[in-house]
């Protein structure tokens, strides 16, 4: 299955499985994330893979080595939003 190519506003590129919205494991992770606030890294790895996760950290890391949680969250939100937008575009084209 072809993955959805996503580019965030800061230029980070990732690929996301188009079946993500029907992925029960992902739904559980998101639920845990909202309930406890824990598990963001596990969720990101599930969506963009371990390699993508390491690339995302490198992309977000500042020159002095600091890695902002907020920056990671913003990038991940953009990735998820782009996936949702892509799904909407596809369903509108097929109507």
């Amino acid at each position: 299955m072809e993955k959805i190519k996503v580019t965030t506003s800061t230029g980070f590129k990732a690929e996301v499985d188009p079946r993500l919205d029907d992925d029960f494991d992902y739904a559980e992770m998101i639920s845990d994330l909202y309930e406890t606030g824990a598990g963001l890294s596990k969720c990101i790895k599930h969506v963009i893979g371990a390699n993508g996760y390491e690339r995302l950290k490198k992309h977000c890391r500042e020159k002095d080595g600091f890695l902002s949680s907020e920056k990671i969250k913003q990038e991940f939100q953009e990735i998820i939003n782009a996936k949702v937008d892509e799904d909407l575009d596809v369903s509108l084209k097929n109507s």
Side-chain angles (χ1 to χ4, degrees), residues 4-7 77-93:
I4 297 169
K5 292 176 179 19
V6 174
T7 303
Q77 190 63 51
E78 280 193 46
I79 291 166
I80 297 304
N81 288 345
K83 191 266 179 225
V84 169
D85 290 346
E86 175 72 19
D87 282 351
L88 182 60
D89 287 346
V90 168
S91 56
L92 289 175
K93 288 176 187 172

Side-chain angles (χ1 to χ4, degrees), residues 32-46:
D32 289 345
L33 188 60
Y34 283 116
E35 288 175 10
T36 67
L40 180 61
S41 60
K42 183 177 179 182
C43 195
I44 295 171
K45 287 177 191 174
H46 184 79

Side-chain angles (χ1 to χ4, degrees), residues 17-94:
D17 190 320
R19 302 170 297 173
L20 191 61
D21 56 345
D22 190 38
D23 184 337
F24 188 77
D25 291 327
Y26 175 69
E28 282 185 319
M29 287 179 214
I30 289 295
S31 177
D32 289 345
L33 188 60
Y34 283 116
E35 288 175 10
T36 67
L40 180 61
S41 60
K42 183 177 179 182
C43 195
I44 295 171
K45 287 177 191 174
H46 184 79
V47 173
I48 63 174
N51 184 19
Y53 175 69
E54 291 304 320
R55 287 188 311 101
L56 179 60
K57 289 190 340 184
K58 184 177 180 181
H59 177 80
C60 292
R61 193 172 303 279
E62 295 179 11
K63 291 182 188 209
D64 66 359
F66 180 75
L67 183 58
S68 166
S69 295
E70 283 305 312
K71 205 176 215 181
I72 292 283
K73 287 180 203 174
Q74 289 171 353
E75 291 289 322
F76 184 60
Q77 190 63 51
E78 280 193 46
I79 291 166
I80 297 304
N81 288 345
K83 191 266 179 225
V84 169
D85 290 346
E86 175 72 19
D87 282 351
L88 182 60
D89 287 346
V90 168
S91 56
L92 289 175
K93 288 176 187 172
N94 293 332

